[in-house]
Amino acid sequence: MTLHLGYGTNGLTDLRLDDALGLLADLGYEGVGLTLDHMHLDPMAPDLAQRTSRVRRRLDSLGLRVTVETGARYVLDPRRKHGPPLLDPDPEARAARTALLVRAVDVAADLGAHAVHCFSGVTPPGTPAATAWKRLSAAISPVLEAADRAGVPLAIEPEPGHLLATLADFHHLRDLLCDPAPLGLTLDIGHCQCLEDAPPAECVKESAPWLRHVQIEDMRRGVHEHLPFGEGEIDFPPVLAALAATGYQGLTVVELPRHSHAGPDLARTSLAFLRSAMTKGAARC
């Protein structure tokens, strides 16, 4: 079974970025899900190009692959979590989020990343669904154009509670945008357990043609809480076997953004768990 495992820096925010990358390489991870945020690679820094160049050299020296993630909570607005979203009623606010995502595409190209992750955001109160989808389509189009120029796919994530919450919503966006080539999918395995009608292994199989990035953690049905492996309800060996069978060659990134206080230990135990689950999954095939 060939999967390329990474760990998200949003679960290592108590570490300096250089230390986090060194830890992951020492543990045996193949890559990192790098969230652009103030404590690591700040996308709002005036010297972003120089910082990105330094991170690229560090990744290369450690032999780590990378995907760029854009789920930082307060990078644009210090008072609104994930604000402003692509669905904000204010056109200038939407434009600020679009600009951040375009900047993330540029950073990803400079890092040699295999994808840029994003999500739709929560629909503002009182906004009709048709209006929200129209805003999303318009706001994400410049990002897709930038991704096309850079040759880096944009992988949007179905997120519980957001406008684009399910795999069906992802396909709705594809249809609205006439299925643009740069648009792919970030599949979060825990979100499948939380929200989708099909079990996670079936979600993987159904998503195979559009997979550009994968996040993984444990979760319970109907509860959007990212859990360490073994604390939720997911049967991982068949999920990992299904993922390997798709031929997906991007990173599969452990996503534990609320566990930074235990990040180094969880990075170690998560890798051991996933390697064991991969072995069990391969034995079932």
Side-chain angles (χ1 to χ4, degrees):
M1 185 184 296
T2 303
L3 294 175
H4 306 285
L5 301 178
Y7 199 93
T9 58
N10 61 0
L12 296 169
T13 56
D14 291 288
L15 277 68
R16 298 177 182 88
L17 182 57
D18 274 0
D19 292 339
L21 297 178
L23 168 73
L24 298 181
D26 289 345
L27 287 173
Y29 282 96
E30 292 186 50
V32 58
L34 176 56
T35 295
L36 303 183
D37 207 349
H38 64 89
M39 78 292 291
H40 286 152
L41 185 55
D42 186 351
M44 311 307 290
D47 59 343
L48 178 60
Q50 294 91 330
R51 295 187 186 201
T52 301
S53 180
R54 287 197 296 271
V55 173
R56 173 67 184 261
R57 291 194 296 271
R58 178 66 167 158
L59 290 166
D60 289 347
S61 71
L62 294 170
L64 289 174
R65 299 173 63 192
V66 62
T67 189
V68 168
E69 303 201 3
T70 61
R73 294 183 179 95
Y74 296 100
V75 70
L76 281 180
D77 188 332
R79 293 172 176 81
R80 279 197 298 166
K81 181 180 177 183
H82 299 315
L86 293 170
L87 310 177
D88 199 285
D90 181 353
E92 291 187 3
R94 295 198 299 274
R97 177 62 61 175
T98 296
L100 176 64
L101 294 179
V102 169
R103 192 172 302 134
V105 169
D106 292 338
V107 169
D110 290 341
L111 292 177
H114 75 81
V116 174
H117 149 278
C118 70
F119 44 59
S120 69
V122 176
T123 303
T127 304
T131 300
W133 283 108
K134 184 177 180 180
R135 287 177 186 166
L136 176 59
S137 300
I140 206 170
S141 290
V143 189
L144 290 166
E145 292 169 4
D148 193 33
R149 290 193 300 269
V152 181
L154 183 69
I156 194 163
E157 178 187 6
E159 181 82 18
H162 285 207
L163 173 69
L164 198 155
T166 65
L167 292 174
D169 293 332
F170 167 70
H171 292 300
H172 180 58
L173 181 64
R174 285 179 54 239
D175 290 342
L176 288 175
L177 295 171
C178 300
D179 200 14
L183 180 63
L185 174 68
T186 292
L187 187 69
D188 187 302
I189 302 302
H191 294 174
C192 295
Q193 175 70 20
C194 175
L195 206 58
E196 299 288 345
D197 292 333
E202 290 302 315
C203 292
V204 168
K205 295 174 186 176
E206 294 171 7
S207 302
W210 302 280
L211 284 181
R212 301 295 180 268
H213 182 43
V214 175
Q215 297 172 345
I216 193 165
E217 69 286 316
D218 217 339
M219 204 168 286
R220 301 186 184 98
R221 181 70 179 166
V223 182
H224 184 203
E225 182 182 3
H226 290 233
L227 299 172
F229 297 110
E231 296 186 14
E233 301 170 341
I234 300 175
D235 182 14
F236 283 97
V239 174
L240 297 175
L243 184 57
T246 68
Y248 170 71
Q249 291 297 303
L251 290 174
T252 300
V253 172
V254 178
E255 184 81 358
L256 292 172
R258 296 184 180 180
H259 292 77
S260 284
H261 63 283
D265 284 340
L266 281 172
R268 175 180 53 81
T269 57
S270 295
L271 185 61
F273 180 95
L274 289 172
R275 284 175 169 170
S276 175
M278 288 164 60
T279 300
K280 292 174 183 176
R284 293 186 186 184
C285 295

